[in-house]
Each structure stands twice: as C-alpha cells, then as structure tokens.
Amino acid sequence: MDLIKEIKKSRPFVIAGPCSAETEEQVHTVLDEIARDGKTALLRAGIWKPRTRPNSFEGLGELALPWLLEAGKKNNLPVTTEVANAKHVEIALKYGVDVLWIGARTTVNPFAIQEIADALKGAKVPVIVKNPVNPDLMLWVGAFERLQQAGITQLAALHRGFSIYKHAKYRNIPNWEIPIALREEMPEIPLLCDPSHISGKREGLLEVAQKAMDLNYDGLMIETHPNPDGAWSDPAQQVTANGLNELLSKIILRKEELSEEELSYIVVMREKIAGLDDRIFSLLSERMKMAEEVGLYKRENDITILQQEHWRNVIANRLEQAENLHLTNQFVRSIMDAIHQESIRHQTKVMNPSLKR
C-alpha cells in the first residue's frame, strides 16, 4: 500500500475500527458497517493491547488477526494494527497486515523503537507512529529517524495527545504546539489525529477532530464499536458506525489555498500583526534592560534575584486582568513565566559577570 499517496488522495483520510478485537462477530460486524459508508480508507483493530495495569484485557493476539484481515478483504479495504515489539512485527508481516502502527507507550522507548526498526528491515510495509506519551518532540522525531534508517519510507505521524493526571477536559492533553513543531521538523510526513485518545469520551470527538482539520491535518483515527458501552476496553471514547458517519458529516473542511482577493486581505492583516509584534519585542527588549539595572542594584546591595512574594503578587494581578484582556489564564501564565525566566537570566548576567553561563 502506498500510504502517503492514499492519505494525500482524500482529506480527511479516515482510519476506523474497534479499540480491541474482541470476537470474530464483533470485528466483522463493525468493520462491515464502517466500510458500507465509504468514508473510511483504512480499517483498524487492536490485537495486542498494552494496558497500564495487569489483569486488564490485553487483546487476543494472533488469534484475532485473521478476523481483521478477512474483514479487510471482504470490504476491499486495507487493515492496520498496533505492534509493540519485534515479535508482533514478525507475526503481523507473516499474516500480511497492510499497515502497522506504533503506540505511544512504545514510541517513548528508543530501545523498543530500534527493536521494531531492526525487525522491519527489508519490509515494504507502511508504518504510522503515534507521539510518545510524554511531550517530547525529539523522541517522536527520533522514532521516525530510526525507522527511516531501517529503510522504511512510507511513514505517517499520529497525534494522540500526551499523558496528564486527571485533566478536566482531556484524557490526554493535546499540546497542539508539538505536532505543529513536528510538521516544521519533518514536513514530508503526513499528520493524522486520534481524537478518541485525546478526548477520552465520545462527546468531545467532534471538537478535537474539527480543530485538527482547522490545523490542516491530513486525517483522523476514530475508534468505532458495534456496542461502545459494552466494549472490553475504552468504552467511553468509542462510537458506533452511525456515530462515526455523523461525526464526519459535521466536520467543516476549510481550504488552505487563497484567492487573490483573500490573499490581499490576509497580507494586509499580516503586515499589521507584524508591526504589533515589532512593538512587543521592542518593549520586551526595553524591559530586559531595566531588569539589568535592577540586577546591578541588587548586586551592589547583596539582594537575591528572586523575590518570591513580589512574583506571586505579579502573577496574581496579571491573571486577574486576563479575562478583561480576552486572554486565557494559561496563556498569561506561560507568557509571564517566560518573561520572568528571561529577566532572571539578564539579572544573573550582571550580578555574576565572572561566572560562565
């Protein structure tokens, strides 16, 4: 399968199927229903399930692979499943799985990725790589580089969010800046989104999927089950085939290319924004010069750089202003933290000029 060509052929490129293959009837039922709508390009099912705790359902393994492959052949669609080690790769290649994907718990481990890459040498199978569980761009990039060195050229990225403890909205926080940075680093690799794992609940799938499309992602992976509430794993984030169809019908696909009139307007607005950015950075430069003056005063009077009580008050005051400025608390906090760290750097420079930095 020429995965990259297929992804570029239609947007969004849709991958759908159950979180886990549970029974032969379940696999055939849901994959047949998905294929009937004609919107899905790649059928999925988890065969090996890396679970957080023992005694959870960890998949049926090799037993379930024929069910997935038979459903794919019957519906004339390619199939994909997750591999987490070299043994999984060996079995999947033996059965002729069309596309493999590497999960987040595997991507986080360079040793495991290298083991998979070694097992794939000489194979022509495409591979989709999910982001690592922790927000580390270079781990994700490194996984692609190891696979490329093994001769795998058909590669795609799958953004499934990053682990977080008890977030009010997401199962895995999206951290959209990381997949955007991956695109800057490796623009030739198609970028897909997994709203199921980011949201963790079916009610949030559309919002995540729409944002991914607005950020010009190439496709989506949506977990789909004939009876989601009765699923053996991750029931809350799965939808029925009808739910999948409804979700896809609600997504607005916005264009990337602009008409001359649209481009003209955007160029004018970009110039205005660039002017504001120039003023912002000029003001920041002035602010850091003042920070150095404060640093000199502190050096002369043996005052510590960090004044914790003052900093707490500064943050509290800025956060109180956030809503009136139509800015989120998270944005204000991140900006103020960045400014504070740069101010500390400038003060350290003048307070300890003899120290290497």
Side-chain angles (χ1 to χ4, degrees):
M1 177 184 181
D2 189 332
L3 180 65
I4 295 176
K5 182 180 178 181
E6 292 300 316
I7 289 174
K8 296 301 181 183
K9 190 186 297 183
S10 60
R11 184 173 175 271
F13 179 85
V14 178
I15 308 168
C19 174
S20 302
E22 299 165 358
T23 67
E24 185 172 6
E25 181 183 6
Q26 171 245 12
V27 170
H28 280 276
T29 297
V30 70
L31 296 186
D32 289 353
E33 290 174 350
I34 291 168
R36 204 171 295 134
D37 287 326
K39 295 179 179 179
T40 298
L42 182 60
L43 299 174
R44 61 147 285 162
I47 305 300
W48 299 281
K49 301 298 298 180
R51 311 312 293 175
T52 303
R53 300 178 67 182
N55 304 318
S56 301
F57 176 61
E58 296 182 321
L60 298 174
E62 187 175 353
L63 171 68
L65 267 178
W67 308 340
L68 175 61
L69 290 161
E70 288 163 9
K73 289 177 182 175
K74 180 168 61 172
N75 292 292
N76 197 30
L77 284 172
V79 299
T80 182
T81 198
E82 178 178 354
V83 292
N85 56 45
K87 184 65 174 178
H88 294 168
V89 171
E90 177 188 331
I91 295 171
L93 293 178
K94 180 180 73 173
Y95 278 84
V97 176
D98 299 289
V99 178
L100 307 181
W101 91 74
I102 297 174
R105 288 180 172 89
T106 306
T107 309
V108 78
N109 184 345
F111 293 108
I113 290 292
Q114 188 60 57
E115 177 185 317
I116 290 172
D118 291 341
L120 284 168
K121 282 181 179 176
K124 301 298 182 185
V125 65
V127 180
I128 300 170
V129 184
K130 286 192 175 186
N131 61 258
V133 289
N134 58 310
D136 187 329
L137 173 64
M138 288 301 108
L139 271 177
W140 205 1
V141 170
F144 286 111
E145 291 174 338
R146 290 176 188 276
L147 291 166
Q148 288 171 334
Q149 289 176 4
I152 304 300
T153 59
Q154 290 286 312
L155 293 166
L158 183 58
H159 171 215
R160 52 80 78 191
F162 303 87
S163 294
I164 191 166
Y165 181 66
K166 288 188 177 180
H167 194 276
K169 184 174 183 179
Y170 299 111
R171 177 182 177 184
N172 293 289
I173 194 165
N175 283 5
W176 297 99
E177 65 275 15
I178 294 177
I180 290 172
L182 178 72
R183 264 229 155 118
E184 294 174 5
E185 191 83 19
M186 310 185 89
E188 74 283 2
I189 292 180
L191 180 59
L192 314 171
C193 183
D194 178 352
S196 302
H197 279 87
I198 290 176
S199 175
K201 52 186 180 296
R202 64 185 67 95
E203 295 80 9
L205 297 179
L206 179 58
E207 180 183 340
V208 175
Q210 183 63 63
K211 182 159 185 177
M213 291 297 99
D214 289 345
L215 291 174
N216 208 25
Y217 280 50
D218 297 291
L220 303 166
M221 178 184 276
I222 308 287
E223 291 188 348
T224 313
H225 193 284
N227 176 26
D229 290 333
W232 296 2
S233 57
D234 295 343
Q237 68 191 39
Q238 299 191 67
V239 294
T240 62
N242 286 338
L244 171 67
N245 189 39
E246 183 181 353
L247 169 69
L248 295 174
S249 68
K250 290 180 178 178
I251 293 173
I252 301 169
L253 294 178
R254 298 181 168 95
K255 61 188 178 184
E256 183 182 15
E257 297 180 358
L258 288 73
S259 67
E260 287 188 17
E261 181 181 351
E262 291 164 339
L263 181 59
S264 177
Y265 172 80
I266 294 293
V267 166
V268 170
M269 295 304 294
R270 284 173 178 167
E271 289 175 352
K272 290 181 179 180
I273 291 170
L276 289 172
D277 288 344
D278 288 342
R279 287 164 56 189
I280 289 170
F281 282 102
S282 178
L283 287 170
L284 286 173
S285 178
E286 289 183 33
R287 189 192 190 288
M288 296 309 156
K289 289 176 184 176
M290 294 185 72
E292 290 184 7
E293 291 181 22
V294 172
L296 288 170
Y297 183 83
K298 288 178 178 178
R299 185 181 73 183
E300 292 168 0
N301 293 276
D302 290 330
I303 300 171
T304 60
I305 291 177
L306 180 61
Q307 302 291 306
Q308 192 65 52
E309 186 62 30
H310 168 69
W311 176 238
R312 274 198 294 266
N313 291 334
V314 169
I315 286 294
N317 290 336
R318 291 301 178 196
L319 291 176
E320 283 182 11
Q321 298 171 345
E323 186 174 351
N324 290 335
L325 294 170
H326 307 292
L327 302 171
T328 65
N329 283 5
Q330 181 183 6
F331 176 73
V332 170
R333 180 73 206 224
S334 62
I335 291 293
M336 289 305 299
D337 282 341
I339 290 173
H340 192 221
Q341 289 302 311
E342 184 67 4
S343 178
I344 288 173
R345 188 183 71 81
H346 280 264
Q347 290 190 39
T348 301
K349 181 175 66 176
V350 297
M351 291 181 71
N352 302 290
S354 61
L355 296 179
K356 292 183 178 180
R357 291 177 296 282

